[in-house]
Amino acid sequence: MAPSTEVSTVTDTQAQLQLNSTPINHALSDVVKTDDWSDFAFRPIRESTVSRAMTSRYFHDMDKFAVSDVIIVGCGSSGMSAAYVIAKNRPDLKIAIIEANVAPGGGAWLGGQLFSAMVMRKPADLFLKELEIPFEDEGDYVVVKHAALFTSTVLSKVLQFPNVKLFNATAVEDLVTRPAGPNGEITVAGVVTNWTLVTQHHDSQCCMDPNVIELSGYKNDGTRDPSKKHGVILSTTGHDGPFGAFSAKRIVAIDTNKKLGGMKGLDMNNAEAGVVKGAGAYSGVESMYFAGMEVAELEGCNRMGPTFGAMAVSGIKAGEEILKHFA
Ligand SMILES: Cc1cc2nc3c(=O)[nH]c(=O)nc-3n(C[C@H](O)[C@H](O)[C@H](O)COP(=O)(O)OP(=O)(O)OC[C@H]3O[C@@H](n4cnc5c(N)ncnc54)[C@H](O)[C@@H]3O)c2cc1C
């Protein structure tokens, strides 16, 4: 039977009548008084003013965060979770997040195979509750209707902390290291950064030296200032790829006692437990912490597949360890 057009016509008319009878309210209602918006105008601005508004703030931030207390490499789900915990508890710490991509958030914008929903096993739902992210309770696990809802909410909360600065489109190319003991021990003392586009073109361009963000707690001669707590690096660069597992790969070159574990086959139960267990301070190199799937690469845990509880919880655990360091 052909669908009736009459029904939809009646419905459209009713909707139109309702619309006409309801005053429309939006953010500009008070300034736009005409139906055709002919009275609307932006305030004037000079192009150079826009330029200065951006660059003055960016370079002020570069100056402010040139020495940071916590440097988080990678702004995926685990890095953001850690940043949230640290920034919330210690507004006095300077936290720099370095993200290679233009868009922060890592791999947590979708569930598995490009599906929308995000699965988290309990008790990771407690973090969702704290962030006021709605979910469906399925007993042992919960489901957020779209992974992007989780990622955008954590991101927005993290970026609102005044002590957090996100440098995106910026890649960490290396770690700054310093001697740390009589037996050749090494400590990390900062990160070597560059615009990601520059990092990607070192082969074809020359003379593109990087920049550096140093950890706090060092004197001008590069030695540790014993009167201060020294800063730390938390690496959360995800599983291996063109940029992934960055610090894990670098750290095994510094710590000759360590070999890269390499991510093993998929086993959700073991993978999530392993990532949380391995998250936190790295015993081989002082001041170095790991969370998220980079732990799986470093320690040889299973891959977890599209379940994200371990990303949030490993970030929280690493964040708690960093807070204890600064206590
Ligand atoms: C479609 C899909 C499939 C998935 N499949 C799997 C799977 O099979 N197995 C699995 O374990 N997980 C899988 N996941 C889950 C998910 O990708 C990750 O496990 C999870 O996002 C990892 O979180 P993370 O915080 O450890 O790192 P990520 O979310 O990967 O975030 C790492 C961030 O670090 C940044 N970064 C990397 N290197 C550098 C650098 N040198 N400098 C600065 N920034 C850097 C990256 O750009 C990225 O934003 C999948 C996710 C999706 C969306």
Side-chain angles (χ1 to χ4, degrees):
M1 196 173 80
S4 158
T5 50
E6 201 182 329
V7 175
S8 69
T9 309
V10 169
T11 311
D12 287 351
T13 310
Q14 282 170 343
Q16 191 60 44
L17 284 173
Q18 267 173 7
L19 194 66
N20 289 343
S21 63
T22 313
I24 300 169
N25 274 307
H26 54 66
L28 296 173
S29 298
D30 287 344
V31 292
V32 181
K33 299 292 182 200
T34 55
D35 276 350
D36 63 356
W37 284 54
S38 53
D39 58 343
F40 175 77
F42 278 114
R43 300 236 185 137
I45 198 163
R46 292 183 64 180
E47 282 78 2
S48 56
T49 305
V50 177
S51 195
R52 285 189 176 123
M54 296 184 296
T55 53
S56 61
R57 284 166 178 79
Y58 197 85
F59 288 109
H60 174 263
D61 284 338
M62 282 183 91
D63 181 54
K64 181 176 167 189
F65 288 86
V67 176
S68 293
D69 299 306
V70 182
I71 300 172
I72 300 180
V73 190
C75 192
S77 44
S78 59
M80 287 191 295
S81 303
Y84 176 82
V85 171
I86 301 165
K88 186 182 165 195
N89 285 281
R90 287 293 299 266
D92 57 314
L93 295 178
K94 275 191 283 180
I95 304 164
I97 308 177
I98 319 295
E99 168 53 52
N101 256 308
V102 171
W109 291 104
L110 289 161
Q113 206 179 316
L114 312 186
F115 298 136
S116 311
M118 172 182 263
V119 175
M120 280 199 186
R121 289 195 287 155
K122 290 183 178 177
D125 60 312
L126 297 175
F127 190 49
L128 300 177
K129 281 182 184 152
E130 176 171 352
L131 297 172
E132 297 178 340
I133 297 170
F135 56 79
E136 290 168 56
D137 193 328
E138 297 283 0
D140 287 335
Y141 68 97
V142 300
V143 183
V144 180
K145 73 172 183 178
H146 202 299
L149 178 58
F150 168 79
T151 300
S152 60
T153 306
V154 190
L155 185 59
S156 72
K157 297 214 185 265
V158 165
L159 291 178
Q160 284 180 55
F161 288 114
N163 55 331
V164 171
K165 171 65 188 179
L166 167 66
F167 294 97
N168 46 337
T170 305
V172 170
E173 293 189 337
D174 207 344
L175 302 171
V176 178
T177 60
R178 297 206 204 291
N183 303 314
E185 294 94 335
I186 298 282
T187 184
V188 287
V191 292
V192 179
T193 65
N194 219 326
W195 310 118
T196 304
L197 291 174
V198 174
T199 299
Q200 288 170 329
H201 289 279
H202 280 310
D203 291 347
S204 56
Q205 302 287 323
C206 62
C207 304
M208 296 199 294
D209 270 343
N211 192 20
V212 167
I213 298 182
E214 234 192 310
L215 291 178
S216 57
Y218 285 87
K219 295 193 281 193
N220 284 348
D221 63 1
T223 58
R224 185 72 61 72
D225 182 346
S227 68
K228 292 184 182 141
K229 291 274 181 180
H230 60 85
V232 301
I233 296 172
L234 169 63
S235 194
T236 62
T237 64
H239 45 71
D240 205 358
F243 279 109
F246 172 80
S247 306
K249 288 187 277 192
R250 199 71 190 94
I251 216 81
V252 293
I254 297 170
D255 178 8
T256 48
N257 296 318
K258 182 78 180 170
K259 285 199 166 49
L260 203 61
M263 192 169 64
K264 304 284 185 298
L266 195 153
D267 176 347
M268 286 187 185
N269 284 303
N270 284 317
E272 290 214 281
V275 165
V276 173
K277 189 164 177 270
Y282 176 70
S283 57
V285 175
E286 207 188 0
S287 310
M288 193 74 216
Y289 293 68
F290 286 94
M293 288 311 289
E294 196 169 357
V295 173
E297 295 286 359
L298 189 64
E299 302 300 341
C301 311
N302 294 93
R303 67 191 300 176
M304 57 157 199
T307 170
F308 289 81
M311 297 303 103
V313 176
S314 66
I316 293 169
K317 184 183 175 216
E320 184 186 275
E321 283 193 23
I322 289 169
L323 288 167
K324 283 179 183 160
H325 162 76
F326 282 106

